């Protein structure tokens, strides 16, 4: 299994979960980031993710590998959607397994934080009022990007 | 020399394209971005962006070579 | 769905996951505690969980409800196995959904920490050397409980 | 009065039973545990245990009534 991949298809949680199986692992923590029906007080209908795939895959794999070493994980993997998503779709999945729960929680949190900070993926939200916009990391809309 | 520039997100919207091939005398990532700003009127300075060459993040002083793939990276919003 | 339940059957992760669906939730965090093949340097073959069901269900539900209020969760649920388990079996599952990931990670961690500290469930490990023993919360064997 | 005592984990092993009905003159959880220690030789003092009556944690000074269900709770190890 790859450490990190982009997926143009819906993320199958059951399949991904098996990527982190390990007989010495007592603790499994998984994070799913899903498309919410609102952001910053505006009603969201759908969104698109765009990625610079070549760099996103390299950076994502670097982050997951770094977490495995830093937190002494048994397994870790992450998948991020690209393309068009609707409310409730899983946008990103991160799963880790460790001997103990402290490392598992900390590592899973660290990976999603790093992905959100570093991996070249961009979200374009489509609002109920007809607007859309590329988002800054803090969830606000990039000035001038409203179509 | 000739380089390929890819645009994403707000930069692609502003450039009205996702990719262009550019003949240039510039040799650093920084100066190639300055030329792109003149063509497309990008509002952001390099303090708001990162730059990647051939799939790796590099500094703005990176020396670009003929045939390189250059990408200006707006603030990311994955997850 | 109940906030907390004991299960004599294998925990079905896909079914449990749907207990925490919510359209306003952007962050889902799930913890699985699984039976490891070793503990404290000894090889584990299997284990049994025993619970004082009446109090365990009340305490478990109190903990999950407290987390929902404390971390402003959309949904939260937990399930703990009782009976005989083998290596790799899911012993406990905790899932939460929240608007943002910080609350989701913190709440999921808090719930499993509270369950392990408070809920009257006991683990009896069976070792490869033929011994077995009821465990203290720190994973060491209760003195005098070796059969 | 008569009370029902349930035993779990290491206490059940030591008592060689999971449940017993006891006729007692004792009125507090504490004194009922002391009687159980005399019968079964439990090694732990009440500083290592908690006690529940009728499905709720109570203090060791809790006044027990006829027909109550009493459980001495060894350190838990779920999860």
């Amino acid at each position: 299994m790859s450490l990190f991949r982009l997926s143009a298809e819906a993320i199958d949680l059951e399949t991904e979960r098996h990527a982190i199986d390990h007989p010495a692992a007592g603790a499994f923590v998984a994070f799913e980031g899903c498309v919410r029906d609102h952001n910053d007080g505006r009603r969201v209908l759908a969104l698109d993710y765009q990625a610079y795939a070549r760099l996103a895959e390299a950076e994502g794999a670097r982050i997951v590998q770094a977490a495995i070493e830093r937190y002494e994980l048994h397994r870790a993997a992450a998948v991020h959607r690209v393309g068009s998503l609707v409310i409730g779709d899983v946008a990103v999945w991160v799963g880790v397994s460790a001997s103990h729960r402290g490392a598992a929680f900390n590592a899973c949190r660290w990976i999603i934080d790093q992905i959100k900070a570093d991996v070249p993926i961009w979200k374009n939200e489509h609002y109920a009022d007809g607007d859309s916009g590329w988002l800054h990391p803090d969830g606000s809309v990039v000035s001038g990007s409203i179509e | 020399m000739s380089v390929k520039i890819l645009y994403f997100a707000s930069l692609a919207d502003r450039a009205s394209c996702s990719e262009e091939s550019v003949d240039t005398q510039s040799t650093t990532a920084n100066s190639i971005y300055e030329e792109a700003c003149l063509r497309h009127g990008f509002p952001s300075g390099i303090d708001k962006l990162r730059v990647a060459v051939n799939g790796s993040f590099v500094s703005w002083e990176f020396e670009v070579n003929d045939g390189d793939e250059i990408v200006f990276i707006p603030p990311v919003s994955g997850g």
Side-chain angles (χ1 to χ4, degrees), chain A, chain B:
Chain A
M1 302 289 291
S2 63
L3 298 175
F4 179 91
R5 66 186 175 80
L6 297 171
S7 175
E9 311 292 322
I11 295 173
D12 184 83
L13 298 173
E14 209 173 342
T15 303
E16 301 306 334
R17 169 62 185 78
H18 289 301
I20 56 170
D21 276 338
H22 194 282
F28 296 75
V29 173
F31 171 81
E32 296 165 35
C34 294
V35 180
R36 287 187 298 153
D37 60 5
H38 65 286
N39 182 34
D40 209 15
R42 303 175 80 178
R43 193 152 74 83
V44 173
L45 299 180
L47 55 75
D48 302 308
Y49 281 103
Q50 198 175 77
Y52 175 28
R54 178 183 185 179
L55 180 57
E57 287 168 351
E59 282 293 296
R62 179 188 63 72
I63 289 165
V64 173
Q65 182 59 42
I68 290 170
E69 291 163 18
R70 180 177 175 147
Y71 295 97
E72 300 185 350
L73 304 177
H74 293 298
R75 295 271 188 279
V79 185
H80 201 296
R81 278 294 310 276
V82 291
S84 297
L85 283 73
V86 298
I87 308 304
D89 281 355
V90 179
V92 57
W93 176 89
V94 179
V96 309
S97 60
S99 289
H100 299 286
R101 69 190 187 284
F105 276 106
N106 291 340
C108 191
R109 176 75 197 260
W110 188 82
I111 290 171
I112 185 61
D113 285 353
Q114 295 290 314
I115 287 173
K116 289 178 80 95
D118 266 345
V119 176
I121 299 173
W122 298 273
K123 174 159 59 178
N124 193 357
E125 289 187 343
H126 302 280
Y127 304 107
D129 58 17
D131 266 352
S132 72
W134 294 102
L135 296 193
H136 278 308
D138 65 1
S140 66
V141 172
V142 176
S143 169
S145 79
I146 303 291
E147 291 160 1
Chain B
M1 67 177 181
S2 172
V3 297
K4 184 165 78 170
I5 307 179
L6 306 186
Y7 297 112
F8 292 95
S10 53
L11 294 183
D13 286 355
R14 184 60 72 112
S16 298
C17 70
S18 60
E19 178 175 341
E20 62 183 352
S21 287
V22 174
D23 289 312
T24 181
Q25 303 306 315
S26 296
T27 57
T28 65
N30 191 352
S31 55
I32 289 170
Y33 182 68
E34 284 172 12
E35 289 180 357
C37 283
L38 292 178
R39 286 195 302 280
H40 301 301
F42 294 143
S44 296
I46 62 170
D47 56 316
K48 301 273 197 258
L49 306 174
R50 287 185 292 174
V51 60
V53 172
N54 299 332
S56 297
F57 284 119
V58 296
S59 76
W60 285 103
E61 290 71 43
F62 187 86
E63 297 273 338
V64 174
N65 291 304
D66 186 57
D68 280 353
E69 176 181 283
I70 302 172
V71 186
F72 307 117
I73 311 281
V76 301
S77 51

